[in-house]
Structure formats: structure tokens, C-alpha cells
């Protein structure tokens, strides 16, 4: 239906994100089969006066990828291009899904050092929005990038690394789609290793009092607090000699179904229908947890399936302020009439050197609040956001927030560096949309 030069072009149909919170109707949808076809699609869009946005799997809760212009689906640009064992790197096409990358690396005896818990995103979508896991020494997926290729507004292909176009590299690793369309990413990788995970229920007062100790003693520490209770579940992941000892059937069911999917879905549906039941459900669910320890290769420990749809807000705070902010959040929920059926997640990251990384230039801890899809979340998120911004918080680029460019200029010391680069690379805002206008300014 389209032309051979611009990849497969299809008529506009409404696009919506994973959570169903964002819908857009592009003028046309392009699925380029090569970088050349993508460059042609970008040039054609510019000639036709249309904006261009690339969209991954729609896991962002914001309208970062929404457009009424040309929607680029990079899924045909997938797979490993090159493995350089001497350099410890792998180069992958931008539309590669993290799950496929993890499996392919494991077959090669390799692994990323750290990752988030969702594997459904494309590598370009995950890195462009700052997706991260938890780590004392190892940072976000974007911080593991050693090079990238970018199609710019004039249709050129720009190669970036610490040596080549270093100013673009410093910003484009987390570019929110504002600087161009990423076509390939080179990640640092290492020989595959084992992680031993230790999960343990712990009281809220204890885990917050001992937070810095847990952080210091573990390579990867995170915990979940169940609102309306004083109960938390902690998770400590540390490297070990192995061998693999995956979770048993019962504990796998508890994690995958009770906490994440089937049973959790039913519990949330009940809570949506009968909000008054949520505190009782939370007490029962949080007490159902028991300690468990298991060992496996990284992606099998870091990631888990997520079939229950939700809406999420996450803020990055200076690490020394996270416990105070979390205690304020708990007090707020306890005092309010809010009914929150999803646990609150707390993770950490070391400082990195990416201009718009939520951990840019500072030791960071994250607080993520969630609500089940279809339940009103605005009151909870507004109250939480008030607490987070009072601590100088930086919202995740792909999750719900109400901040604008003026706010970001105050919490990101290198914000002006990013916007100046954007002015140079995309002066006519070919890659612009309403979301970028709000968060980056005109």
C-alpha cells in the first residue's frame, strides 16, 4: 500500500498505550524494514508538514509517543547486529524487545548488568524514558549504553558515543524522543552470572529504620509497602557462585499469581467494585507472604510477567530523603479516605552522567505509586506528587506526572544543555508533540 522507499505504510487507526490512558490517531503509520526506509519516512514527513514519533510497545503512561502525524513502529528493526566480546558490548537494533535481547544474550553466555522488572519494552523505548531497576552500584539500562545511532530531523544518521558526537551521546541516551529516532544501541554486557534473591517480609518501621544498612549491604535492594498496613516485602539480590536453584512451584505461584497476575487481578477487581474491602484485602495479602531464597541468571531474577494493567507515578528523590518522604506518604494514606490496592515500590540507583536521567548527578531512590486500571487515581497521585516535589523529586519520563519545563529547569542542572541540543538538532520540532512541549518548553 505504501512505497518501497518508506517501508510499509498503513492507514491511520487509533493507537493507545498499554494502560489505556493515552489514545492518538496518526495520519499514517510506517513500519520501516531498514534504517534507509526510516530515513526516507522522516524526510517525507518533513516534506508533508507532519510530525514524527516512534512508538515501542506503549508501556509509557504518558503521551510521550503520541502523535497525529507519522507514527513509526520500529518493530521490524530488531535483533542483535554485533557482539564484540573483547570490548564487552552488544549492538542491537532499536525495535528489539528486552525479553528477546535477554534470551539471545543468555544463549551467548552474556548478560546486561542490571535491568527493570518488565521485559515487554523495546530497547529504544525503555532507554529513551529512563527505565531502571534497583542497584547500589549499577544504574539504569540507559547508563549501560556505550553507543547509539540516531536519525535526525534532516534525515541524517548520526553515530554517537563518548568519542563520536559526545555532546549528543551525553543527552540522547535518555532523549524522550525529542532529539531524533534511535535506530541502534550498543550496550555494555558481561559474562552471564548468578544472582541469589532473598525475599523476606518485614515491618514498615523496621525497613525504613534500616534502609541505609540494607542499601549498603546489598548489590540490589528494593521493597514494597502495602498501603493500609504496616507490612512490607523486601528483596535483596546479590551475585553468587550458583548453581541455579529457581523458586519452587509454590513460591513461584505466590510471586507470579498472588502478587502479580491472576489472583492479584481478581483481588484488584474486587477492590475496584468494593473499595471499602481494600484495607482488609491488603492485610490478608501482605500476611500471605513468606521468606524465600532462590538463585538464577539475572533476567530470571530481575524480571517478572505483568499481566495486571495499572497506572503508575514514580518519582526519583535524593536517596537521603526517601525514608522521610515514604513516611509522609504513609501518614497521608492513613489519614485519608483513599483506598489503595497496589503496593508502593522503593528502589535505588547510583548517580549517573546522563543529562535528563532521573539519577543525573545524584545518588537516587525511587518511590513508585500504582493504581489498578479503571480506578480513579488522581486524588492519590496528586497527594503523592505534592510530597515528592517538596523533596525536589524528578518524575519518571514515562509515568504519570503534572510537571512542566519550568519545574524541570529547577531540578535538572543540565536541563538547558539538553534543550540547547534539541534546538540544534530539531529546530522545527519535527519530533515534537504536546507532551514534549509541556516538559521541555517551546
Amino acid at each position: 500500500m505504501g512505497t518501497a522507499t518508506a517501508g510499509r505504510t498503513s492507514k491511520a487507526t487509533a493507537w493507545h498505550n498499554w494502560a489505556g490512558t493515552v489514545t492518538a490517531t496518526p495520519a499514517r503509520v510506517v513500519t520501516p524494514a531498514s534504517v534507509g526506509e526510516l530515513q526516507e519516512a522522516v524526510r517525507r514527513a518533513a516534506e508533508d508538514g507532519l510530525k514524527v514519533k516512534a512508538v515501542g510497545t506503549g508501556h509509557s503512561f504518558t503521551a510521550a509517543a503520541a502523535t497525529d502525524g507519522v507514527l513509526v513502529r520500529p518493530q521490524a528493526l530488531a535483533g542483535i547486529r554485533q557482539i564484540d566480546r573483547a570490548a564487552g558490548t552488544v549492538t542491537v537494533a532499536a525495535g528489539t524487545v528486552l525479553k528477546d535481547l535477554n534470551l539471545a544474550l543468555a544463549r551467548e553466555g552474556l548478560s546486561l548488568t542490571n535491568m527493570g522488572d518488565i521485559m515487554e519494552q523495546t530497547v529504544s523505548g525503555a532507554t529513551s524514558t529512563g527505565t531502571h531497576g534497583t542497584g547500589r552500584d549499577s544504574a539504569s539500562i540507559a547508563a549501560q549504553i556505550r553507543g547509539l545511532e540516531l536519525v535526525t530531523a534532516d534525515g541524517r544518521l548520526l553515530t554517537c558515543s563518548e568519542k563520536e558526537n559526545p555532546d549528543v551521546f551525553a543527552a540522547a541516551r535518555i532523549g524522550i524522543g525529542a532529539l531524533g529516532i534511535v535506530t541502534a544501541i550498543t550496550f555494555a554486557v558481561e559474562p552471564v552470572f548468578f544472582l541469589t534473591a532473598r525475599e523476606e517480609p518485614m515491618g514498615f518501621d523496621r525497613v525504613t529504620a534500616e534502609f541505609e544498612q540494607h542499601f549498603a549491604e546489598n548489590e540490589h535492594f528494593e521493597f514494597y509497602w502495602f498501603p493500609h498496613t504496616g507490612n512490607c516485602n523486601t528483596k535483596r539480590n546479590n551475585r553468587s557462585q550458583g548453581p541455579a536453584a529457581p523458586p519452587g512451584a509454590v513460591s513461584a505461584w505466590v510471586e507470579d499469581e498472588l502478587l502479580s497476575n491472576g489472583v492479584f487481578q481478581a483481588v484488584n477487581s474486587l477492590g475496584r467494585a468494593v473499595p471499602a474491602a481494600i484495607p482488609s484485602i491488603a492485610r490478608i495479602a501482605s500476611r500471605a507472604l513468606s521468606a524465600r531464597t532462590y538463585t538464577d541468571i539475572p533476567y530470571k531474577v530481575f524480571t517478572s510477567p505483568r499481566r495486571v494493567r495499572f497506572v503508575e507515578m514514580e518519582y526519583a528523590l535524593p536517596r537521603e530523603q526517601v525514608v522521610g518522604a515514604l513516611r509522609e506518604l504513609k501518614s497521608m494514606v492513613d489519614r485519608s479516605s483513599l483506598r489503595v490496592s497496589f503496593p508502593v515500590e522503593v528502589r535505588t540507583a547510583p548517580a549517573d552522567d546522563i543529562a535528563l536521567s532521573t539519577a543525573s548527578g545524584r545518588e537516587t531512590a525511587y518511590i513508585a505509586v500504582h493504581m489498578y486500571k479503571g480506578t480513579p487515581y488522581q486524588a492519590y497521585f496528586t497527594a503523592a506528587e505534592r510530597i515528592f516535589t517538596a523533596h525536589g523529586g524528578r518524575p519518571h519520563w514515562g509515568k504519570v506526572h503534572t510537571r512542566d519545563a519550568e519545574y524541570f529547569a529547577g531540578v535538572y542542572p543540565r536541563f538547558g544543555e539538553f534543550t540547547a541540543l534539541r534546538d540544534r538538532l530539531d529546530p522545527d520540532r519535527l519530533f515534537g508533540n504536546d507532551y514534549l512541549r509541556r516538559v521541555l518548553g517551546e
Side-chain angles (χ1 to χ4, degrees), residues 109-417:
L110 299 168
S111 177
L112 293 169
T113 300
N114 199 355
M115 59 194 82
D117 69 345
I118 293 176
M119 284 202 292
E120 309 306 323
Q121 303 132 302
T122 59
V123 292
S124 54
T127 54
S128 294
T129 52
T131 296
H132 61 91
T134 189
R136 180 190 61 203
D137 314 304
S138 54
S140 71
I141 306 178
Q144 297 168 66
I145 294 176
R146 295 294 173 264
L148 57 86
E149 288 177 11
L150 192 69
V151 172
T152 54
D154 56 7
R156 282 183 307 138
L157 186 66
L158 205 61
T159 305
C160 315
S161 66
E162 284 181 349
K163 293 191 178 78
E164 206 173 352
N165 297 302
D167 56 334
V168 181
F169 182 70
R173 284 172 286 170
I174 298 180
I176 339 170
L179 304 176
I181 296 179
V182 176
T183 58
I185 299 174
T186 299
F187 291 105
V189 289
E190 57 178 304
V192 73
F193 53 94
F194 286 109
L195 285 170
T196 292
R198 182 177 161 207
E199 295 173 12
E200 182 186 1
M202 197 176 286
F204 180 91
D205 292 339
R206 181 183 161 196
V207 78
T208 51
E210 296 176 357
F211 175 72
E212 278 298 319
Q213 179 189 338
H214 293 307
F215 166 79
E217 290 175 354
N218 296 282
E219 290 172 80
H220 309 274
F221 174 68
E222 64 186 305
F223 69 94
Y224 299 83
W225 163 58
F226 293 81
H228 313 296
T229 79
N231 303 330
C232 296
N233 194 37
T234 62
K235 186 170 181 179
R236 288 166 262 202
N237 298 331
N238 290 287
R239 293 190 185 220
S240 72
Q241 294 302 307
V250 173
S251 72
W253 181 88
V254 168
E255 171 65 26
D256 290 339
E257 294 304 320
L258 180 62
L259 283 182
S260 305
N261 293 302
V263 178
F264 193 52
Q265 174 96 40
V267 163
N268 274 283
S269 296
L270 172 63
R272 184 169 65 187
V274 190
I278 286 175
S280 301
I281 293 169
R283 284 190 290 274
I284 294 164
S286 62
R287 282 203 295 264
L289 298 168
S290 56
R292 65 174 186 161
T293 301
Y294 56 95
T295 299
D296 220 322
I297 61 174
Y299 85 85
K300 293 185 178 181
V301 173
F302 285 132
T303 66
S304 48
R306 287 278 180 269
R307 295 195 300 272
V308 179
R309 308 267 166 150
F310 54 85
V311 181
E312 181 178 1
M313 168 185 281
E314 181 182 62
Y315 265 76
L317 310 180
R319 199 184 75 237
E320 66 275 9
Q321 298 193 38
V322 74
V323 168
L326 188 65
R327 286 174 177 153
E328 289 172 44
L329 184 71
K330 184 176 187 298
S331 298
M332 181 274 292
V333 171
D334 289 347
R335 285 194 317 268
S336 74
S337 59
L338 294 168
R339 293 294 175 259
V340 182
S341 62
F342 251 85
V344 172
E345 184 178 23
V346 179
R347 297 179 288 175
T348 69
D352 66 41
D353 64 348
I354 305 169
L356 290 190
S357 165
T358 47
S360 183
R362 73 184 189 193
E363 291 281 323
T364 294
Y366 298 92
I367 304 180
V369 296
H370 311 69
M371 284 292 262
Y372 182 50
K373 181 185 173 183
T375 53
Y377 62 85
Q378 284 83 357
Y380 176 40
F381 283 15
T382 299
E385 190 172 41
R386 201 172 292 131
I387 293 167
F388 302 152
T389 54
H391 290 270
R394 300 167 176 169
H396 188 300
W397 295 110
K399 297 176 185 177
V400 176
H401 68 89
T402 67
R403 301 297 91 188
D404 60 14
E406 185 182 0
Y407 179 85
F408 291 123
V411 295
Y412 282 101
R414 296 170 63 185
F415 188 75
E417 175 189 325

Side-chain angles (χ1 to χ4, degrees), residues 23-40:
T23 304
T25 305
R28 61 177 180 252
V29 177
V30 179
T31 309
S34 68
V35 173
E37 288 184 0
L38 174 60
Q39 291 174 281
E40 178 61 25

